[in-house]
Amino acid sequence: MKKNDWKERLGVTYSTNPDFVYQAEAAEDAATLPKGKQRLRITLDKRNRGGKTVTLITGFRGTDDDLEALGKMLKVKCGVGGSTKDGEIILQGDFRQKALELLAKDGYSGSRIV
């Protein structure tokens, strides 16, 4: 069954060709910047978390797979839980200094605690 979602075809002129297949432009997968050019920000956050403290690492520019790999490395080295979503790495607890040291050791020179 072919996909026929009208929302993907907004702005397309009607075609009388019965064999017409609309081809949507695929979003490009952003290439991951080199580690030395990444500008990661490490912050502490308590908002909307029930009073619990988390360390947020934002500013990663690259693919979701690379973000997942970096998040997993940080979670394993810090020995904590967390998640990666929406371009952010979330570590449970206050691990700002340790995350900064781990990122610097791994080659992320633009990292800073905000």
Side-chain angles (χ1 to χ4, degrees), residues 1-111:
M1 181 171 204
K2 73 179 181 180
K3 189 174 179 182
N4 194 17
D5 189 14
W6 65 272
K7 292 177 185 175
E8 292 181 3
R9 296 180 307 202
L10 290 176
V12 175
T13 308
Y14 181 76
S15 174
T16 57
N17 182 358
D19 296 328
F20 178 77
V21 177
Y22 178 72
Q23 297 175 355
E25 294 179 22
E28 279 187 32
D29 219 7
T32 304
L33 287 176
K35 293 178 180 180
K37 293 187 178 184
Q38 295 277 358
R39 300 286 177 232
L40 300 178
R41 290 174 298 285
I42 304 169
T43 58
L44 193 65
D45 189 25
K46 286 185 176 181
R47 282 182 262 143
N48 300 326
R49 303 188 192 281
K52 308 260 180 175
T53 304
V54 296
T55 303
L56 282 177
I57 301 168
T58 57
F60 184 83
R61 304 188 99 208
T63 62
D64 290 337
D65 293 336
D66 292 337
L67 179 68
E68 290 282 336
L70 179 61
K72 182 171 181 160
M73 184 272 298
L74 288 171
K75 290 186 290 184
V76 167
K77 298 275 184 166
C78 291
V80 296
S83 66
T84 56
K85 59 183 172 184
D86 301 329
E88 294 181 337
I89 300 171
I90 301 170
L91 302 175
Q92 296 173 350
D94 185 3
F95 289 95
R96 292 175 291 180
Q97 192 61 41
K98 189 167 186 176
L100 181 66
E101 292 167 4
L102 290 170
L103 289 170
K105 185 187 266 188
D106 200 33
Y108 290 93
S109 61
S111 306

